[in-house]
Each structure stands twice: as structure tokens, then as C-alpha cells.
Amino acid sequence: DSGVTQTPKHLITATGQRVTLRCSPRSGDLSVYWYQQSLDQGLQFLIQYYNGEERAKGNILERFSAQQFPDLHSELNLSSLELGDSALYFCASSRGGGGLDYGYTFGSGTRLTVV
Amino acid sequence: AQKITQTQPGMFVQEKEAVTLDCTYDTSDQSYGLFWYKQPSSGEMIFLIYQGSYDEQNATEGRYSLNFQKARKSANLVISASQLGDSAMYFCAMREPLGNEKLTFGTGTRLTIIP
């Protein structure tokens, strides 16, 4: 157990639908990151939150949004789903606050299948 | 923009042999961090080893070592005495400097250990 909890582990939904992926960071970590891993795009950074505030944005579609709550858990909302959104979505956490030291701790991922 | 290149899509190695996975990077920053992650078929991302750009010695973690050649901008992962459990995808990643903490990943190398 990495300490980062992602739910659900698997999700199958239809095109056009909306889903919410949840992440609880490791205890003491203030930063949460979301990544998408698909066969054609590889691992892509989506967005980062630090202590409730958005800190960095990557290749996140407008149909996607995220937030980090006061208890530091984070949710990634994916709407108007398309077949191409099928991917493994990772959450990772770190102490945050800058620094180049040890990397993140990744959760086990949510595998999203859009049919 | 930062870029990570892994030129070996797949490798087959005999059990107990050493293996080197190649990684080159491109950055104009002087301060950066380099990471290797292992992704077994189960999907989770497992942190293996870290090298800071200012670290003078190559990083080592058990059977893993990082051959860091700064002038060549390479950060190859060396696995000694390979085991069947080493069969997995391996990703090289780079972390941006202070204030922007996302990881940029390479496309990965699929390592298969042959008994």
C-alpha cells in the first residue's frame, strides 16, 4: 500500500456521461497531481493542487476539472466522455512546497473505460 | 520545453544478467531531478531511484543504480542480477525546477526477463 488511495479502481461508462475519480493523498502530503496514461499519449500530466489551490496545469481538456478539498483529498471530474478518454488515471501526492528531492507516491490508478 | 527520450521500446534479458535501460533528457534548466519508475502488469507506478542534477555521485538503491552522465544528458538505469519479477514497463521521468513540480515521462521500455 503506497498510502495514496484512489477510488474506484475500475469504471465503465457510456459516451457522454460524467464521472468523478477520487484520490486521498498520503498522510502529510499537501500536493496532489493527476496524470492520464493512454496507449497513444503515454503518461500525461493533467493538473496539480497544493493545499487546496491549483498550482500547475498541463494537458487537461476543458471537459475535465479537478479540485482539492480542505481535508486534502482531490477529485477529478470528467464530463461529456468520449471513447478517447479511456485510460488509466493516476493520482500522486508529495510534500509539495517546491524542491527537487524524492518524487511522488502514486496511487494504484483508476482504469476508465468509455463504451 | 523538457523532453525525455527512451529509445528502447522493448528488451529481452536472460535472468541473472545485468540490464541497462537508456534515458536521455533535454532541458535548459541547471537544476532538475531525474526519476525511474517501474510499472508491472498490475498497473501501479513504483518509484525506483532518484538523481538530482547537482548530485556528484550516481544514485544507487539495492540492485538499481543510475548511470548519470550530465554532459551527455543521460540517466540510464542499471539493474544488476535481473530477476523474473523485474519484468515490467520502466519509465524515466524528469522533474521541473522549484515552483512547478510536474513530472515529464518518457515513453517507457518494456523489459522481459527470460528464465
Side-chain angles (χ1 to χ4, degrees):
Chain A
D1 182 7
S2 68
V4 178
T5 304
Q6 285 190 252
T7 57
K9 291 194 183 305
H10 302 276
L11 198 51
I12 301 175
T13 190
T15 54
Q17 295 298 305
R18 172 189 168 96
V19 297
T20 297
L21 313 184
R22 183 188 168 99
C23 170
S24 293
R26 193 178 53 172
S27 178
D29 287 352
L30 299 178
S31 269
V32 169
Y33 313 77
W34 287 97
Y35 287 81
Q36 178 194 57
Q37 185 179 27
S38 60
L39 287 176
D40 56 343
Q41 295 289 331
L43 271 154
Q44 298 285 323
F45 168 72
L46 295 178
I47 198 163
Q48 177 204 358
Y49 279 83
Y50 174 73
N51 203 19
E53 300 287 329
E54 182 184 305
R55 185 150 185 167
K57 217 167 186 177
N59 301 320
I60 188 166
L61 299 172
E62 286 191 8
R63 299 183 286 107
F64 296 180
S65 65
Q67 54 183 327
Q68 186 180 28
F69 295 86
D71 67 351
L72 300 178
H73 91 271
S74 178
E75 292 181 356
L76 179 66
N77 301 297
L78 316 176
S79 61
S80 303
L81 284 167
E82 302 174 359
L83 296 177
D85 298 326
S86 295
L88 186 56
Y89 290 85
F90 282 108
C91 168
S93 73
S94 76
R95 288 195 309 269
L100 287 170
D101 59 355
Y102 285 84
Y104 316 158
T105 302
F106 279 83
S108 56
T110 293
R111 186 169 297 279
L112 173 67
T113 303
V114 182
V115 299
Chain B
Q2 297 189 335
K3 186 177 179 181
I4 296 285
T5 302
Q6 294 181 253
T7 57
Q8 306 153 310
M11 289 187 69
F12 291 84
V13 173
Q14 203 74 37
E15 189 181 8
K16 298 182 184 177
E17 289 185 351
V19 56
T20 298
L21 305 181
D22 295 340
C23 172
T24 58
Y25 59 92
D26 185 22
T27 180
S28 57
D29 297 313
Q30 296 300 311
S31 180
Y32 50 88
L34 296 159
F35 302 83
W36 278 91
Y37 285 88
K38 172 184 179 181
Q39 186 178 37
S41 57
S42 51
E44 70 267 32
M45 294 290 285
I46 302 168
F47 166 75
L48 295 178
I49 198 166
Y50 164 82
Q51 179 85 41
S53 60
Y54 292 116
D55 294 341
E56 294 186 352
Q57 290 191 334
N58 288 341
T60 59
E61 291 284 350
R63 293 187 300 113
Y64 304 108
S65 61
L66 200 152
N67 185 1
F68 181 47
Q69 298 187 42
K70 194 171 182 176
R72 295 186 177 184
K73 293 189 175 178
S74 75
N76 298 338
L77 177 70
V78 180
I79 306 174
S80 63
S82 58
Q83 303 170 356
L84 296 179
D86 295 332
S87 294
M89 280 289 288
Y90 288 80
F91 291 96
C92 180
M94 180 162 56
R95 189 172 199 171
E96 295 187 4
L98 297 176
N100 189 346
E101 299 169 1
K102 74 170 188 177
L103 287 179
T104 300
F105 284 87
T107 52
T109 296
R110 182 170 296 282
L111 176 64
T112 303
I113 306 301
I114 305 167

